[in-house]
């Protein structure tokens, strides 16, 4: 379904998110601003074949940036932290 690809934009791979994934089995994604928790849960369960226990979402507002005398704003986006059932894992890179 094309809608699943639109809801999940990209995984967020940072040091903090890697620690969350190792210790608490939580994975972080950038998602569509209009997506709700139920849509995010269904998209992840369908795409990665895992059981999602909990979805937490937050809006990240764009920062104001300056370049000389001109000011602008970065885009705002939505972040989702997804808790996956114990014993299951979402792998972004395969070990070869």
């Amino acid at each position: 379904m094309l809608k699943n690809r639109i809801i999940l934009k990209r995984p967020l791979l940072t040091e903090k998110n890697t620690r969350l994934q190792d210790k608490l089995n939580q994975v972080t994604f950038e998602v569509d601003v209009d997506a709700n928790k139920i849509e995010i849960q269904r998209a992840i369960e369908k795409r990665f074949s895992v059981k999602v226990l909990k979805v937490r979402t937050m809006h990240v507002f764009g920062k104001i940036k300056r370049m000389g005398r001109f000011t602008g704003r970065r885009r705002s986006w939505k972040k989702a932290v997804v808790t996956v059932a114990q014993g299951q894992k979402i792998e972004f890179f395969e070990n070869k």
Side-chain angles (χ1 to χ4, degrees):
M1 182 183 232
L2 185 62
K3 191 169 184 175
N4 289 344
R5 296 189 187 270
I6 295 171
I7 290 173
L8 301 176
K9 291 190 176 180
R10 66 185 176 107
L12 298 175
L13 301 173
T14 63
E15 288 184 33
K16 183 176 182 180
N17 294 337
T18 305
R19 259 186 272 125
L20 281 175
Q21 188 172 4
D22 293 340
K23 291 185 180 181
L24 301 174
N25 213 17
Q26 294 179 341
V27 186
T28 309
F29 291 94
E30 178 183 346
V31 295
D32 186 9
V33 179
D34 297 326
N36 61 29
K37 292 181 181 186
I38 296 167
E39 291 172 340
I40 294 167
Q41 179 179 352
R42 287 182 184 155
I44 290 173
E45 286 178 346
K46 185 172 182 182
R47 183 152 181 204
F48 297 105
S49 301
V50 295
K51 174 71 177 151
V52 174
L53 300 177
K54 189 180 202 180
V55 177
R56 296 182 303 159
T57 60
M58 59 203 80
H59 288 279
V60 180
F61 295 103
K63 295 179 179 178
I64 295 175
K65 291 292 182 177
R66 280 185 56 150
M67 187 169 234
R69 63 184 177 149
F70 302 104
T71 60
R73 178 179 283 273
R74 289 186 180 169
R75 66 181 181 87
S76 298
W77 52 287
K78 190 173 189 177
K79 176 164 61 171
V81 180
V82 178
T83 305
V84 181
Q86 191 146 7
Q88 296 183 342
K89 206 168 195 175
I90 295 177
E91 290 290 335
F92 299 113
F93 303 109
E94 296 179 17
N95 297 331
K96 289 187 179 183

mmCIF file of all heavy atoms in Angstrom, residues 26-74:
data_model
loop_
_atom_site.group_PDB
_atom_site.id
_atom_site.type_symbol
_atom_site.label_atom_id
_atom_site.label_comp_id
_atom_site.label_asym_id
_atom_site.label_seq_id
_atom_site.Cartn_x
_atom_site.Cartn_y
_atom_site.Cartn_z
ATOM 1 N N GLN A 26 13.153 0.421 21.615
ATOM 2 C CA GLN A 26 12.370 1.497 21.005
ATOM 3 C C GLN A 26 13.080 1.999 19.756
ATOM 4 O O GLN A 26 14.294 2.137 19.736
ATOM 5 C CB GLN A 26 12.198 2.656 21.982
ATOM 6 C CG GLN A 26 11.377 2.310 23.192
ATOM 7 C CD GLN A 26 11.250 3.469 24.153
ATOM 8 O OE1 GLN A 26 12.030 4.410 24.106
ATOM 9 N NE2 GLN A 26 10.267 3.390 25.029
ATOM 10 N N VAL A 27 12.304 2.281 18.718
ATOM 11 C CA VAL A 27 12.837 2.756 17.449
ATOM 12 C C VAL A 27 12.183 4.094 17.135
ATOM 13 O O VAL A 27 10.994 4.293 17.392
ATOM 14 C CB VAL A 27 12.552 1.743 16.321
ATOM 15 C CG1 VAL A 27 13.222 2.169 15.033
ATOM 16 C CG2 VAL A 27 13.012 0.360 16.717
ATOM 17 N N THR A 28 12.960 5.037 16.561
ATOM 18 C CA THR A 28 12.468 6.378 16.287
ATOM 19 C C THR A 28 12.379 6.609 14.776
ATOM 20 O O THR A 28 13.292 6.258 14.038
ATOM 21 C CB THR A 28 13.408 7.417 16.924
ATOM 22 O OG1 THR A 28 13.610 7.065 18.284
ATOM 23 C CG2 THR A 28 12.821 8.800 16.854
ATOM 24 N N PHE A 29 11.267 7.210 14.354
ATOM 25 C CA PHE A 29 11.032 7.498 12.940
ATOM 26 C C PHE A 29 10.596 8.939 12.763
ATOM 27 O O PHE A 29 9.957 9.515 13.643
ATOM 28 C CB PHE A 29 9.895 6.624 12.388
ATOM 29 C CG PHE A 29 10.227 5.172 12.270
ATOM 30 C CD1 PHE A 29 9.920 4.288 13.291
ATOM 31 C CD2 PHE A 29 10.830 4.683 11.131
ATOM 32 C CE1 PHE A 29 10.205 2.951 13.182
ATOM 33 C CE2 PHE A 29 11.125 3.339 11.013
ATOM 34 C CZ PHE A 29 10.816 2.469 12.039
ATOM 35 N N GLU A 30 10.919 9.503 11.599
ATOM 36 C CA GLU A 30 10.267 10.733 11.161
ATOM 37 C C GLU A 30 9.031 10.296 10.402
ATOM 38 O O GLU A 30 9.104 9.439 9.516
ATOM 39 C CB GLU A 30 11.180 11.547 10.252
ATOM 40 C CG GLU A 30 10.520 12.807 9.752
ATOM 41 C CD GLU A 30 11.370 13.610 8.793
ATOM 42 O OE1 GLU A 30 12.576 13.361 8.692
ATOM 43 O OE2 GLU A 30 10.798 14.483 8.120
ATOM 44 N N VAL A 31 7.881 10.866 10.768
ATOM 45 C CA VAL A 31 6.617 10.450 10.169
ATOM 46 C C VAL A 31 5.903 11.658 9.573
ATOM 47 O O VAL A 31 6.288 12.805 9.797
ATOM 48 C CB VAL A 31 5.707 9.746 11.211
ATOM 49 C CG1 VAL A 31 6.337 8.448 11.674
ATOM 50 C CG2 VAL A 31 5.408 10.632 12.380
ATOM 51 N N ASP A 32 4.842 11.366 8.835
ATOM 52 C CA ASP A 32 4.021 12.419 8.241
ATOM 53 C C ASP A 32 3.372 13.243 9.349
ATOM 54 O O ASP A 32 2.939 12.708 10.366
ATOM 55 C CB ASP A 32 2.951 11.778 7.361
ATOM 56 C CG ASP A 32 2.148 12.793 6.582
ATOM 57 O OD1 ASP A 32 2.518 13.978 6.584
ATOM 58 O OD2 ASP A 32 1.143 12.400 5.976
ATOM 59 N N VAL A 33 3.304 14.542 9.154
ATOM 60 C CA VAL A 33 2.772 15.452 10.169
ATOM 61 C C VAL A 33 1.297 15.159 10.468
ATOM 62 O O VAL A 33 0.845 15.320 11.599
ATOM 63 C CB VAL A 33 2.946 16.917 9.705
ATOM 64 C CG1 VAL A 33 2.385 17.882 10.716
ATOM 65 C CG2 VAL A 33 4.412 17.220 9.471
ATOM 66 N N ASP A 34 0.563 14.663 9.496
ATOM 67 C CA ASP A 34 -0.862 14.407 9.680
ATOM 68 C C ASP A 34 -1.171 12.992 10.185
ATOM 69 O O ASP A 34 -2.324 12.681 10.447
ATOM 70 C CB ASP A 34 -1.610 14.630 8.361
ATOM 71 C CG ASP A 34 -1.504 16.072 7.900
ATOM 72 O OD1 ASP A 34 -1.465 16.958 8.774
ATOM 73 O OD2 ASP A 34 -1.458 16.306 6.686
ATOM 74 N N ALA A 35 -0.159 12.141 10.330
ATOM 75 C CA ALA A 35 -0.386 10.760 10.751
ATOM 76 C C ALA A 35 -0.681 10.700 12.248
ATOM 77 O O ALA A 35 -0.072 11.416 13.042
ATOM 78 C CB ALA A 35 0.838 9.913 10.436
ATOM 79 N N ASN A 36 -1.621 9.832 12.629
ATOM 80 C CA ASN A 36 -1.901 9.640 14.047
ATOM 81 C C ASN A 36 -1.234 8.348 14.531
ATOM 82 O O ASN A 36 -0.643 7.604 13.751
ATOM 83 C CB ASN A 36 -3.406 9.651 14.326
ATOM 84 C CG ASN A 36 -4.144 8.552 13.618
ATOM 85 O OD1 ASN A 36 -3.597 7.487 13.343
ATOM 86 N ND2 ASN A 36 -5.401 8.797 13.302
ATOM 87 N N LYS A 37 -1.355 8.062 15.836
ATOM 88 C CA LYS A 37 -0.656 6.928 16.436
ATOM 89 C C LYS A 37 -1.124 5.588 15.861
ATOM 90 O O LYS A 37 -0.318 4.680 15.656
ATOM 91 C CB LYS A 37 -0.841 6.929 17.952
ATOM 92 C CG LYS A 37 -0.150 8.075 18.632
ATOM 93 C CD LYS A 37 -0.343 8.013 20.127
ATOM 94 C CE LYS A 37 0.345 9.187 20.801
ATOM 95 N NZ LYS A 37 0.294 9.076 22.266
ATOM 96 N N ILE A 38 -2.400 5.463 15.579
ATOM 97 C CA ILE A 38 -2.930 4.206 15.044
ATOM 98 C C ILE A 38 -2.391 3.946 13.641
ATOM 99 O O ILE A 38 -1.992 2.824 13.317
ATOM 100 C CB ILE A 38 -4.473 4.236 15.056
ATOM 101 C CG1 ILE A 38 -4.973 4.331 16.504
ATOM 102 C CG2 ILE A 38 -5.051 3.011 14.371
ATOM 103 C CD1 ILE A 38 -6.432 4.666 16.634
ATOM 104 N N GLU A 39 -2.358 4.969 12.804
ATOM 105 C CA GLU A 39 -1.819 4.813 11.449
ATOM 106 C C GLU A 39 -0.337 4.467 11.481
ATOM 107 O O GLU A 39 0.127 3.630 10.712
ATOM 108 C CB GLU A 39 -2.029 6.097 10.654
ATOM 109 C CG GLU A 39 -3.467 6.401 10.326
ATOM 110 C CD GLU A 39 -3.669 7.766 9.697
ATOM 111 O OE1 GLU A 39 -2.783 8.637 9.843
ATOM 112 O OE2 GLU A 39 -4.719 7.958 9.058
ATOM 113 N N ILE A 40 0.407 5.096 12.381
ATOM 114 C CA ILE A 40 1.835 4.814 12.510
ATOM 115 C C ILE A 40 2.048 3.372 12.956
ATOM 116 O O ILE A 40 2.881 2.652 12.413
ATOM 117 C CB ILE A 40 2.491 5.805 13.495
ATOM 118 C CG1 ILE A 40 2.442 7.220 12.929
ATOM 119 C CG2 ILE A 40 3.920 5.404 13.804
ATOM 120 C CD1 ILE A 40 2.770 8.314 13.916
ATOM 121 N N GLN A 41 1.268 2.921 13.937
ATOM 122 C CA GLN A 41 1.385 1.548 14.433
ATOM 123 C C GLN A 41 1.096 0.538 13.323
ATOM 124 O O GLN A 41 1.847 -0.419 13.129
ATOM 125 C CB GLN A 41 0.419 1.328 15.593
ATOM 126 C CG GLN A 41 0.456 -0.082 16.145
ATOM 127 C CD GLN A 41 -0.500 -0.275 17.301
ATOM 128 O OE1 GLN A 41 -1.082 0.685 17.794
ATOM 129 N NE2 GLN A 41 -0.658 -1.500 17.746
ATOM 130 N N ARG A 42 0.034 0.744 12.574
ATOM 131 C CA ARG A 42 -0.315 -0.183 11.488
ATOM 132 C C ARG A 42 0.752 -0.202 10.398
ATOM 133 O O ARG A 42 1.080 -1.260 9.853
ATOM 134 C CB ARG A 42 -1.663 0.201 10.895
ATOM 135 C CG ARG A 42 -2.822 -0.132 11.799
ATOM 136 C CD ARG A 42 -4.142 0.222 11.171
ATOM 137 N NE ARG A 42 -5.231 -0.025 12.111
ATOM 138 C CZ ARG A 42 -6.396 0.588 12.063
ATOM 139 N NH1 ARG A 42 -6.651 1.470 11.116
ATOM 140 N NH2 ARG A 42 -7.329 0.313 12.957
ATOM 141 N N ALA A 43 1.297 0.965 10.060
ATOM 142 C CA ALA A 43 2.311 1.035 9.016
ATOM 143 C C ALA A 43 3.576 0.287 9.418
ATOM 144 O O ALA A 43 4.162 -0.443 8.614
ATOM 145 C CB ALA A 43 2.638 2.494 8.708
ATOM 146 N N ILE A 44 3.992 0.432 10.676
ATOM 147 C CA ILE A 44 5.214 -0.239 11.139
ATOM 148 C C ILE A 44 4.985 -1.743 11.238
ATOM 149 O O ILE A 44 5.847 -2.534 10.846
ATOM 150 C CB ILE A 44 5.665 0.358 12.484
ATOM 151 C CG1 ILE A 44 6.182 1.774 12.235
ATOM 152 C CG2 ILE A 44 6.734 -0.505 13.134
ATOM 153 C CD1 ILE A 44 6.513 2.537 13.465
ATOM 154 N N GLU A 45 3.835 -2.155 11.766
ATOM 155 C CA GLU A 45 3.550 -3.588 11.873
ATOM 156 C C GLU A 45 3.502 -4.251 10.503
ATOM 157 O O GLU A 45 3.973 -5.370 10.327
ATOM 158 C CB GLU A 45 2.237 -3.819 12.622
ATOM 159 C CG GLU A 45 2.361 -3.583 14.110
ATOM 160 C CD GLU A 45 1.063 -3.756 14.867
ATOM 161 O OE1 GLU A 45 -0.020 -3.804 14.230
ATOM 162 O OE2 GLU A 45 1.122 -3.824 16.106
ATOM 163 N N LYS A 46 2.957 -3.557 9.511
ATOM 164 C CA LYS A 46 2.864 -4.130 8.170
ATOM 165 C C LYS A 46 4.223 -4.154 7.469
ATOM 166 O O LYS A 46 4.591 -5.136 6.845
ATOM 167 C CB LYS A 46 1.860 -3.324 7.342
ATOM 168 C CG LYS A 46 1.627 -3.919 5.976
ATOM 169 C CD LYS A 46 0.516 -3.232 5.254
ATOM 170 C CE LYS A 46 0.297 -3.894 3.911
ATOM 171 N NZ LYS A 46 -0.750 -3.233 3.153
ATOM 172 N N ARG A 47 4.978 -3.095 7.615
ATOM 173 C CA ARG A 47 6.238 -2.995 6.871
ATOM 174 C C ARG A 47 7.348 -3.858 7.455
ATOM 175 O O ARG A 47 8.134 -4.446 6.714
ATOM 176 C CB ARG A 47 6.682 -1.534 6.838
ATOM 177 C CG ARG A 47 7.921 -1.313 6.036
ATOM 178 C CD ARG A 47 7.946 0.052 5.464
ATOM 179 N NE ARG A 47 9.132 0.227 4.670
ATOM 180 C CZ ARG A 47 9.670 1.384 4.420
ATOM 181 N NH1 ARG A 47 9.117 2.478 4.880
ATOM 182 N NH2 ARG A 47 10.743 1.476 3.689
ATOM 183 N N PHE A 48 7.439 -3.942 8.787
ATOM 184 C CA PHE A 48 8.543 -4.657 9.422
ATOM 185 C C PHE A 48 8.121 -5.986 10.042
ATOM 186 O O PHE A 48 8.965 -6.697 10.588
ATOM 187 C CB PHE A 48 9.195 -3.775 10.489
ATOM 188 C CG PHE A 48 9.820 -2.539 9.924
ATOM 189 C CD1 PHE A 48 9.215 -1.299 10.085
ATOM 190 C CD2 PHE A 48 11.009 -2.594 9.222
ATOM 191 C CE1 PHE A 48 9.792 -0.157 9.582
ATOM 192 C CE2 PHE A 48 11.593 -1.455 8.700
ATOM 193 C CZ PHE A 48 10.986 -0.227 8.874
ATOM 194 N N SER A 49 6.852 -6.342 10.024
ATOM 195 C CA SER A 49 6.335 -7.599 10.577
ATOM 196 C C SER A 49 6.716 -7.778 12.045
ATOM 197 O O SER A 49 7.267 -8.808 12.439
ATOM 198 C CB SER A 49 6.824 -8.790 9.754
ATOM 199 O OG SER A 49 6.399 -8.670 8.429
ATOM 200 N N VAL A 50 6.444 -6.778 12.855
ATOM 201 C CA VAL A 50 6.697 -6.821 14.293
ATOM 202 C C VAL A 50 5.433 -6.403 15.031
ATOM 203 O O VAL A 50 4.525 -5.820 14.440
ATOM 204 C CB VAL A 50 7.875 -5.900 14.714
ATOM 205 C CG1 VAL A 50 9.179 -6.382 14.131
ATOM 206 C CG2 VAL A 50 7.606 -4.464 14.329
ATOM 207 N N LYS A 51 5.380 -6.692 16.329
ATOM 208 C CA LYS A 51 4.259 -6.281 17.176
ATOM 209 C C LYS A 51 4.632 -4.992 17.882
ATOM 210 O O LYS A 51 5.628 -4.935 18.599
ATOM 211 C CB LYS A 51 3.960 -7.386 18.196
ATOM 212 C CG LYS A 51 2.915 -7.026 19.214
ATOM 213 C CD LYS A 51 1.538 -6.957 18.593
ATOM 214 C CE LYS A 51 0.520 -6.675 19.694
ATOM 215 N NZ LYS A 51 -0.623 -5.960 19.204
ATOM 216 N N VAL A 52 3.852 -3.938 17.684
ATOM 217 C CA VAL A 52 4.098 -2.630 18.300
ATOM 218 C C VAL A 52 3.279 -2.549 19.584
ATOM 219 O O VAL A 52 2.065 -2.750 19.574
ATOM 220 C CB VAL A 52 3.723 -1.491 17.332
ATOM 221 C CG1 VAL A 52 3.847 -0.148 18.015
ATOM 222 C CG2 VAL A 52 4.589 -1.544 16.093
ATOM 223 N N LEU A 53 3.955 -2.241 20.697
ATOM 224 C CA LEU A 53 3.281 -2.120 21.981
ATOM 225 C C LEU A 53 2.809 -0.699 22.258
ATOM 226 O O LEU A 53 1.742 -0.497 22.826
ATOM 227 C CB LEU A 53 4.210 -2.575 23.114
ATOM 228 C CG LEU A 53 4.705 -4.018 23.050
ATOM 229 C CD1 LEU A 53 5.658 -4.286 24.199
ATOM 230 C CD2 LEU A 53 3.532 -4.971 23.078
ATOM 231 N N LYS A 54 3.610 0.292 21.876
ATOM 232 C CA LYS A 54 3.319 1.677 22.242
ATOM 233 C C LYS A 54 3.897 2.623 21.191
ATOM 234 O O LYS A 54 4.964 2.361 20.639
ATOM 235 C CB LYS A 54 3.976 1.947 23.595
ATOM 236 C CG LYS A 54 3.637 3.238 24.251
ATOM 237 C CD LYS A 54 4.406 3.308 25.575
ATOM 238 C CE LYS A 54 3.765 4.260 26.519
ATOM 239 N NZ LYS A 54 4.501 4.332 27.779
ATOM 240 N N VAL A 55 3.191 3.715 20.935
ATOM 241 C CA VAL A 55 3.660 4.754 20.011
ATOM 242 C C VAL A 55 3.562 6.093 20.724
ATOM 243 O O VAL A 55 2.506 6.450 21.239
ATOM 244 C CB VAL A 55 2.821 4.789 18.710
ATOM 245 C CG1 VAL A 55 3.286 5.911 17.807
ATOM 246 C CG2 VAL A 55 2.889 3.468 17.986
ATOM 247 N N ARG A 56 4.680 6.816 20.775
ATOM 248 C CA ARG A 56 4.678 8.173 21.321
ATOM 249 C C ARG A 56 5.068 9.122 20.198
ATOM 250 O O ARG A 56 6.006 8.860 19.455
ATOM 251 C CB ARG A 56 5.684 8.300 22.466
ATOM 252 C CG ARG A 56 5.331 7.424 23.650
ATOM 253 C CD ARG A 56 6.300 7.584 24.780
ATOM 254 N NE ARG A 56 7.647 7.299 24.311
ATOM 255 C CZ ARG A 56 8.749 7.731 24.921
ATOM 256 N NH1 ARG A 56 8.666 8.474 25.991
ATOM 257 N NH2 ARG A 56 9.939 7.428 24.452
ATOM 258 N N THR A 57 4.335 10.233 20.070
ATOM 259 C CA THR A 57 4.613 11.185 18.996
ATOM 260 C C THR A 57 4.902 12.562 19.574
ATOM 261 O O THR A 57 4.458 12.890 20.674
ATOM 262 C CB THR A 57 3.426 11.292 18.023
ATOM 263 O OG1 THR A 57 2.286 11.736 18.734
ATOM 264 C CG2 THR A 57 3.151 9.979 17.339
ATOM 265 N N MET A 58 5.659 13.337 18.818
ATOM 266 C CA MET A 58 5.936 14.711 19.214
ATOM 267 C C MET A 58 6.203 15.548 17.973
ATOM 268 O O MET A 58 6.689 15.042 16.964
ATOM 269 C CB MET A 58 7.113 14.781 20.173
ATOM 270 C CG MET A 58 8.401 14.237 19.634
ATOM 271 S SD MET A 58 9.550 13.745 20.904
ATOM 272 C CE MET A 58 8.907 12.161 21.333
ATOM 273 N N HIS A 59 5.846 16.817 18.048
ATOM 274 C CA HIS A 59 6.115 17.761 16.974
ATOM 275 C C HIS A 59 7.443 18.441 17.266
ATOM 276 O O HIS A 59 7.686 18.912 18.375
ATOM 277 C CB HIS A 59 5.019 18.829 16.888
ATOM 278 C CG HIS A 59 3.736 18.307 16.365
ATOM 279 N ND1 HIS A 59 3.497 18.125 15.028
ATOM 280 C CD2 HIS A 59 2.615 17.897 16.991
ATOM 281 C CE1 HIS A 59 2.295 17.652 14.857
ATOM 282 N NE2 HIS A 59 1.727 17.492 16.043
ATOM 283 N N VAL A 60 8.309 18.492 16.249
ATOM 284 C CA VAL A 60 9.588 19.182 16.353
ATOM 285 C C VAL A 60 9.458 20.434 15.499
ATOM 286 O O VAL A 60 9.293 20.347 14.280
ATOM 287 C CB VAL A 60 10.747 18.293 15.855
ATOM 288 C CG1 VAL A 60 12.069 19.021 15.971
ATOM 289 C CG2 VAL A 60 10.769 16.985 16.625
ATOM 290 N N PHE A 61 9.472 21.577 16.151
ATOM 291 C CA PHE A 61 9.286 22.832 15.437
ATOM 292 C C PHE A 61 10.608 23.305 14.837
ATOM 293 O O PHE A 61 11.665 23.163 15.464
ATOM 294 C CB PHE A 61 8.705 23.893 16.367
ATOM 295 C CG PHE A 61 7.320 23.552 16.831
ATOM 296 C CD1 PHE A 61 7.088 23.055 18.093
ATOM 297 C CD2 PHE A 61 6.239 23.689 15.973
ATOM 298 C CE1 PHE A 61 5.812 22.712 18.507
ATOM 299 C CE2 PHE A 61 4.965 23.354 16.370
ATOM 300 C CZ PHE A 61 4.755 22.867 17.638
ATOM 301 N N GLY A 62 10.536 23.855 13.614
ATOM 302 C CA GLY A 62 11.725 24.298 12.909
ATOM 303 C C GLY A 62 12.394 25.473 13.591
ATOM 304 O O GLY A 62 11.734 26.374 14.102
ATOM 305 N N LYS A 63 13.713 25.443 13.606
ATOM 306 C CA LYS A 63 14.477 26.514 14.241
ATOM 307 C C LYS A 63 14.565 27.725 13.315
ATOM 308 O O LYS A 63 14.562 27.588 12.089
ATOM 309 C CB LYS A 63 15.903 26.047 14.522
ATOM 310 C CG LYS A 63 16.012 24.935 15.517
ATOM 311 C CD LYS A 63 17.471 24.559 15.677
ATOM 312 C CE LYS A 63 17.636 23.446 16.684
ATOM 313 N NZ LYS A 63 19.039 23.055 16.816
ATOM 314 N N ILE A 64 14.675 28.899 13.917
ATOM 315 C CA ILE A 64 14.905 30.114 13.137
ATOM 316 C C ILE A 64 16.405 30.226 12.916
ATOM 317 O O ILE A 64 17.186 30.148 13.860
ATOM 318 C CB ILE A 64 14.356 31.346 13.864
ATOM 319 C CG1 ILE A 64 12.833 31.240 13.977
ATOM 320 C CG2 ILE A 64 14.767 32.616 13.145
ATOM 321 C CD1 ILE A 64 12.193 32.335 14.778
ATOM 322 N N LYS A 65 16.800 30.405 11.660
ATOM 323 C CA LYS A 65 18.215 30.492 11.302
ATOM 324 C C LYS A 65 18.472 31.795 10.563
ATOM 325 O O LYS A 65 17.597 32.317 9.873
ATOM 326 C CB LYS A 65 18.612 29.311 10.399
ATOM 327 C CG LYS A 65 18.610 27.994 11.124
ATOM 328 C CD LYS A 65 19.719 27.958 12.132
ATOM 329 C CE LYS A 65 19.790 26.656 12.857
ATOM 330 N NZ LYS A 65 20.907 26.602 13.767
ATOM 331 N N ARG A 66 19.694 32.314 10.715
ATOM 332 C CA ARG A 66 20.078 33.549 10.033
ATOM 333 C C ARG A 66 21.210 33.278 9.075
ATOM 334 O O ARG A 66 22.076 32.463 9.344
ATOM 335 C CB ARG A 66 20.563 34.573 11.061
ATOM 336 C CG ARG A 66 19.479 35.290 11.775
ATOM 337 C CD ARG A 66 20.058 36.337 12.650
ATOM 338 N NE ARG A 66 20.895 37.253 11.867
ATOM 339 C CZ ARG A 66 21.080 38.527 12.152
ATOM 340 N NH1 ARG A 66 20.499 39.025 13.220
ATOM 341 N NH2 ARG A 66 21.827 39.287 11.419
ATOM 342 N N MET A 67 21.202 34.006 7.974
ATOM 343 C CA MET A 67 22.321 34.003 7.044
ATOM 344 C C MET A 67 22.553 35.458 6.680
ATOM 345 O O MET A 67 21.823 36.024 5.868
ATOM 346 C CB MET A 67 22.010 33.157 5.817
ATOM 347 C CG MET A 67 23.185 32.986 4.904
ATOM 348 S SD MET A 67 22.821 31.746 3.685
ATOM 349 C CE MET A 67 24.201 30.682 3.919
ATOM 350 N N GLY A 68 23.495 36.070 7.372
ATOM 351 C CA GLY A 68 23.710 37.502 7.209
ATOM 352 C C GLY A 68 22.555 38.262 7.820
ATOM 353 O O GLY A 68 22.177 38.058 8.960
ATOM 354 N N ARG A 69 21.947 39.133 7.044
ATOM 355 C CA ARG A 69 20.817 39.898 7.572
ATOM 356 C C ARG A 69 19.469 39.245 7.289
ATOM 357 O O ARG A 69 18.442 39.761 7.674
ATOM 358 C CB ARG A 69 20.831 41.315 7.009
ATOM 359 C CG ARG A 69 20.668 41.349 5.517
ATOM 360 C CD ARG A 69 20.774 42.748 4.992
ATOM 361 N NE ARG A 69 20.682 42.729 3.544
ATOM 362 C CZ ARG A 69 20.180 43.689 2.832
ATOM 363 N NH1 ARG A 69 19.703 44.759 3.416
ATOM 364 N NH2 ARG A 69 20.145 43.607 1.535
ATOM 365 N N PHE A 70 19.486 38.105 6.612
ATOM 366 C CA PHE A 70 18.256 37.415 6.257
ATOM 367 C C PHE A 70 17.950 36.320 7.268
ATOM 368 O O PHE A 70 18.840 35.590 7.687
ATOM 369 C CB PHE A 70 18.361 36.808 4.854
ATOM 370 C CG PHE A 70 18.666 37.823 3.796
ATOM 371 C CD1 PHE A 70 19.935 37.932 3.261
ATOM 372 C CD2 PHE A 70 17.679 38.680 3.351
ATOM 373 C CE1 PHE A 70 20.221 38.878 2.298
ATOM 374 C CE2 PHE A 70 17.951 39.630 2.386
ATOM 375 C CZ PHE A 70 19.231 39.730 1.864
ATOM 376 N N THR A 71 16.685 36.217 7.640
ATOM 377 C CA THR A 71 16.280 35.149 8.553
ATOM 378 C C THR A 71 15.326 34.217 7.842
ATOM 379 O O THR A 71 14.582 34.617 6.943
ATOM 380 C CB THR A 71 15.589 35.709 9.813
ATOM 381 O OG1 THR A 71 14.432 36.432 9.420
ATOM 382 C CG2 THR A 71 16.516 36.590 10.603
ATOM 383 N N GLY A 72 15.369 32.983 8.266
ATOM 384 C CA GLY A 72 14.469 31.983 7.708
ATOM 385 C C GLY A 72 14.154 30.961 8.770
ATOM 386 O O GLY A 72 14.596 31.052 9.907
ATOM 387 N N ARG A 73 13.359 29.995 8.417
ATOM 388 C CA ARG A 73 12.960 28.965 9.374
ATOM 389 C C ARG A 73 13.122 27.602 8.713
ATOM 390 O O ARG A 73 12.729 27.415 7.568
ATOM 391 C CB ARG A 73 11.508 29.175 9.785
ATOM 392 C CG ARG A 73 10.976 28.134 10.739
ATOM 393 C CD ARG A 73 9.543 28.407 11.128
ATOM 394 N NE ARG A 73 9.438 29.461 12.114
ATOM 395 C CZ ARG A 73 9.518 29.258 13.430
ATOM 396 N NH1 ARG A 73 9.730 28.069 13.897
ATOM 397 N NH2 ARG A 73 9.385 30.254 14.254
ATOM 398 N N ARG A 74 13.679 26.661 9.464
ATOM 399 C CA ARG A 74 13.720 25.284 9.001
ATOM 400 C C ARG A 74 12.321 24.697 9.092
ATOM 401 O O ARG A 74 11.485 25.193 9.840
ATOM 402 C CB ARG A 74 14.674 24.454 9.868
ATOM 403 C CG ARG A 74 16.119 24.791 9.641
ATOM 404 C CD ARG A 74 16.986 23.838 10.419
ATOM 405 N NE ARG A 74 18.390 24.146 10.217
ATOM 406 C CZ ARG A 74 19.357 23.616 10.919
ATOM 407 N NH1 ARG A 74 19.089 22.770 11.893
ATOM 408 N NH2 ARG A 74 20.608 23.930 10.676
#
